[in-house]
Amino acid sequence: MVCTKTGRGFQVITKVLKRIAVSIPVLVGVVLVIFVMLRIVPGDPVTTMMGEHVNPAVIEKVSREMGLDQPLYVQFFKYIANALRGDFGTSYRLNRNVTRIILDSFPNTVKLSLLAAVVAWFIGIVAGIVAAIRQNRLLDRLFMGCALMGVSMPVFMTALVLQYLFAFKLKWFPVSGFDSFQTMILPAIVLGWNSAGSIARMTRSNLVEIMQNDFIRTARAKGLREHGVIIGHALKNAMLPVVTMMALQISSMLSGAVLTESVFGVPGIGRLAVNAIETRDMPLLQGTVIFTTVLIILGNLIADLLYNVLDPRIREGA
């Protein structure tokens, strides 16, 4: 028994190391692409930072001090070496360390994403279960219609519509800001709406499929009540892929809150990235892209390991 557990632990560690090894080239490729793209886009970052009417000699001097006059490959390898130490450079616009700026903004993105995840999970799972139980009836069509709307509508459109209805017209929530729990509710609903639709559709389809299996008929034949069959037998098996999706959605929310943060004025990483694009702040934009890429990679790794833990078939076949 001890040898078996040790072997499984070694297999899990090996799997993690393989996933990390595969992720490293992906991360380097993302850094390379964003690094090259920002430098082939027309415009001089120094001119953008200092203004159009600055003396050309000053621009040349500042470019030399910042290392922008060096060959592109030299700049890239210097950037990689500094990034490995956690140094993503200094923001052109804010004149602050990029790592510190990201770490200061990250807690706001985490708060928004976690609240959005709770909203998405609660609405999605409840709607999916009810739709499966009331299959092909009014509630099923209503919930699946709302889920389809959530999956189909762009985030910025959902944000603007809800902001207009509940903040501007009904005045239930503030239009923007992020300084209280009330200001967090509407952005969280907007960010979680799309995920809730995906969770509801997957929960319904998995539950409907599981309810057709023989062990469900056996449970019913033993005299178990319908809610006991659903919660104790069907739901436990139907939720495995849903849990994996939920784990993936956390990382996507952390990295994909750009539009939501911009519409509601949330001082998070997404808003940082938008401001960096508008001002052509290359170090800040590179830092936010790399940071969110790492979050996505970690989210995929956690989801993979979580599914391996929850599903005994995968654990035994590993």
Side-chain angles (χ1 to χ4, degrees):
M1 178 67 70
V2 175
C3 294
T4 303
K5 291 182 177 179
T6 303
R8 288 176 181 173
F10 180 75
Q11 289 174 347
V12 171
I13 294 174
T14 304
K15 190 173 185 178
V16 171
L17 293 177
K18 286 181 179 179
R19 289 296 300 268
I20 293 175
V22 171
S23 302
I24 290 175
V26 175
L27 184 59
V28 174
V30 169
V31 177
L32 178 60
V33 169
I34 190 67
F35 190 89
V36 172
M37 286 182 63
L38 287 176
R39 281 156 180 78
I40 63 176
V41 171
D44 182 10
V46 179
T47 303
T48 304
M49 177 178 61
M50 304 187 68
E52 297 181 358
H53 304 292
V54 69
N55 193 311
V58 175
I59 294 178
E60 183 179 353
K61 180 176 181 296
V62 174
S63 298
R64 186 167 57 253
E65 291 175 351
M66 297 172 63
L68 298 176
D69 61 331
Q70 297 177 344
L72 190 61
Y73 69 90
V74 175
Q75 296 182 45
F76 177 72
F77 285 115
K78 281 187 175 181
Y79 184 80
I80 290 292
N82 292 330
L84 290 175
R85 299 197 301 267
D87 181 11
F88 294 107
T90 303
S91 169
Y92 294 163
R93 181 174 59 90
L94 302 176
N95 196 27
R96 290 179 56 203
N97 183 270
V98 169
T99 305
R100 175 50 53 190
I101 296 173
I102 293 175
L103 292 179
D104 289 343
S105 301
F106 186 54
N108 293 325
T109 301
V110 171
K111 293 176 185 177
L112 174 61
S113 300
L114 290 180
L115 186 57
V118 172
V119 170
W121 297 347
F122 178 77
I123 295 176
I125 292 174
V126 171
I129 293 173
V130 173
I133 295 174
R134 300 293 181 181
Q135 186 181 0
N136 297 325
R137 298 180 186 177
L138 179 61
L139 282 179
D140 181 21
R141 293 187 175 91
L142 178 62
F143 285 163
M144 288 302 100
C146 292
L148 181 61
M149 184 183 300
V151 172
S152 305
M153 281 185 67
V155 174
F156 74 90
M157 181 63 69
T158 305
L160 293 176
V161 170
L162 296 186
Q163 191 179 50
Y164 176 77
L165 289 177
F166 295 104
F168 182 72
K169 282 292 186 181
L170 299 176
K171 301 188 184 303
W172 289 356
F173 304 101
V175 175
S176 62
F178 203 70
D179 53 358
S180 66
F181 181 75
Q182 189 179 14
T183 60
M184 297 167 60
I185 296 176
L186 201 55
I189 293 174
V190 170
L191 186 58
W193 181 276
N194 180 274
S195 299
S198 301
I199 292 173
R201 289 161 63 88
M202 178 171 282
T203 301
R204 179 194 179 278
S205 62
N206 290 343
L207 196 54
V208 168
E209 182 180 354
I210 293 294
M211 294 291 286
Q212 308 301 320
N213 289 346
D214 292 336
F215 71 90
I216 297 296
R217 300 190 187 96
T218 303
R220 285 171 174 161
K222 290 180 178 179
L224 292 178
R225 295 183 178 180
E226 188 66 16
H227 71 273
V229 173
I230 295 172
I231 297 176
H233 293 78
L235 189 60
K236 182 174 63 174
N237 291 276
M239 287 301 292
L240 287 174
V242 178
V243 169
T244 306
M245 173 185 283
M246 290 159 60
L248 289 171
Q249 285 178 342
I250 292 182
S251 62
S252 65
M253 286 177 183
L254 287 170
S255 58
V258 176
L259 296 174
T260 305
E261 291 182 355
S262 299
V263 172
F264 290 96
V266 179
I269 293 181
R271 191 178 179 190
L272 273 183
V274 173
N275 292 338
I277 293 172
E278 292 174 349
T279 58
R280 206 167 184 271
D281 193 339
M282 293 190 298
L284 184 57
L285 182 57
Q286 288 170 175
T288 54
V289 171
I290 295 171
F291 191 77
T292 53
T293 303
V294 171
L295 290 178
I296 293 174
I297 291 173
L298 289 177
N300 290 333
L301 177 61
I302 292 172
D304 190 32
L305 293 176
L306 187 61
Y307 196 79
N308 185 74
V309 170
L310 292 175
D311 195 337
R313 294 168 298 181
I314 296 179
R315 194 163 61 242
E316 292 171 2

